[in-house]
Amino acid sequence: MKIAIIGAGNLGLAMAKGILHTNGATTMYLTKRNTKSIQDFEKYGNVKVTSDNLEAIANSDILIFAVQPGQFTTILEQAKDLLTEKHVIISTITGFKISRIEEIIGADKFIIRSMPNTAISVGKSMTCICSNEPGKKRVDLAKAIFNRMGHTMEIPEDQMQAATVICASGIAFWMRLIRATTQGAIQLGFDAKEAQELAMHTCNGAASLLIESGSHPEEEIDRVTTPKGCTIEGLNEMEHQGLSSSLIKGIVSSYEKISHIRKT
């Protein structure tokens, strides 16, 4: 596949790494205003680094846009005459609706919105996808790209904002949860390195259990054991030790905000 990533910032580079590490592109263009910081990507051999968006678009079939929302309109206006029936447009830009893209380049184009997170660089992204009507013919192609770097879910566009909170910003939330768990382990006597290792692998194990079993978290809770016996008693012990209250408050607060976003 001939892929161009228009906007090689943090997310753009994370996608590039994920695609390249899984041999997901025949050729790849990476664009950025100042290319000095991404020049090393040309060591892959099939990667071209350029500041010319139009060059990248003309020589690619799959166009993944990861620019700032304010830049996207201008780039689409400049590129619309270059777009052909071969092009698949994949936008990762928060808040930029498909209808706005259609207004600029036409509703007959294959247009897909996706929201990966930065874990895509290590093949663990949760990527949500939606499309316009023609784009439905290319959704499986988009899934094939992003499934090489994690997991995908097709959703209605009106759920994309909520998905952004859960999946993209959610990476930072789970990082904070791991940090808080690490601090709790330190309080119980582990050194910092040991504490972080315990927290990271426990978090990974919890997710893996649910993925492999396909069950609901509440079903798995009944089967999990802790030093105090059953999970509920273990959680109560954590509360008694003062370790879980801040985590619980943080979780409740975060998902109350998410619920508000979904409603509005």
Side-chain angles (χ1 to χ4, degrees):
M1 292 185 286
K2 297 179 180 179
I3 298 175
I5 297 179
I6 311 298
N10 290 337
L11 180 57
L13 289 181
M15 288 188 287
K17 290 175 184 176
I19 292 170
L20 291 168
H21 290 170
T22 59
N23 297 315
T26 308
T27 62
M28 178 181 288
Y29 274 79
L30 296 177
T31 77
K32 194 175 183 180
R33 286 179 180 176
N34 184 349
T35 62
K36 185 177 179 180
S37 64
I38 62 172
Q39 207 66 49
D40 285 351
F41 275 82
E42 290 196 339
K43 69 184 180 183
Y44 285 96
N46 60 339
V47 177
K48 175 70 182 294
V49 170
T50 180
S51 59
D52 189 340
N53 293 325
L54 300 186
E55 176 190 357
I57 290 168
N59 290 286
S60 305
D61 298 329
I62 299 166
L63 312 177
I64 302 177
F65 291 89
V67 297
Q68 295 297 320
Q71 301 170 329
F72 195 26
T73 298
T74 300
I75 293 172
L76 288 176
E77 289 282 3
Q78 294 171 341
K80 62 183 180 181
D81 291 337
L82 292 175
L83 299 177
T84 68
E85 68 280 355
K86 74 176 182 179
H87 284 111
V88 178
I89 291 86
I90 301 177
S91 168
T92 66
I93 299 162
T94 303
F96 210 105
K97 294 186 176 181
I98 288 173
S99 58
R100 290 178 63 190
I101 301 174
E102 289 180 328
E103 287 173 5
I104 300 170
I105 65 173
D108 60 327
K109 301 296 189 298
F110 303 122
I111 300 172
I112 294 170
R113 282 185 68 189
S114 69
M115 182 45 62
N117 57 43
T118 51
I120 202 165
S121 63
V122 293
K124 296 293 184 181
S125 176
M126 178 63 241
T127 303
C128 289
I129 292 173
C130 62
S131 71
N132 67 347
E133 193 60 35
K136 290 179 180 178
K137 298 177 181 178
R138 298 293 185 269
V139 164
D140 285 345
L141 174 62
K143 286 182 176 181
I145 294 171
F146 290 107
N147 276 338
R148 298 171 74 98
M149 301 165 288
H151 184 74
T152 60
M153 180 184 295
E154 187 176 356
I155 63 173
E157 187 177 20
D158 61 10
Q159 289 186 325
M160 195 57 95
Q161 178 62 32
T164 301
V165 175
I166 297 290
C167 302
S169 304
I171 285 284
F173 168 76
W174 289 108
M175 291 290 189
R176 289 195 172 188
L177 183 63
I178 290 170
R179 183 181 67 182
T181 306
T182 299
Q183 291 170 341
I186 291 171
Q187 289 179 40
L188 288 175
F190 292 96
D191 67 36
K193 184 178 179 180
E194 291 172 334
Q196 183 167 313
E197 185 175 347
L198 288 169
M200 288 189 302
H201 288 283
T202 301
C203 181
N204 186 44
S208 297
L209 274 174
L210 294 177
I211 291 169
E212 292 299 322
S213 67
S215 59
H216 191 276
E218 291 302 319
E219 297 172 16
E220 288 300 325
I221 283 175
D222 290 336
R223 290 192 281 269
V224 175
T225 59
T226 72
K228 290 293 290 184
C230 75
T231 297
I232 299 303
E233 290 176 358
L235 291 175
N236 288 340
E237 178 65 15
M238 287 180 68
E239 184 71 36
H240 177 70
Q241 296 290 337
L243 301 179
S244 67
S245 57
S246 61
L247 299 183
I248 293 169
K249 289 176 183 177
I251 291 169
V252 171
S253 174
S254 295
Y255 283 97
E256 282 179 347
K257 291 177 182 177
I258 290 168
S259 177
H260 175 71
I261 289 171
R262 288 178 66 89
K263 290 176 182 177
T264 57

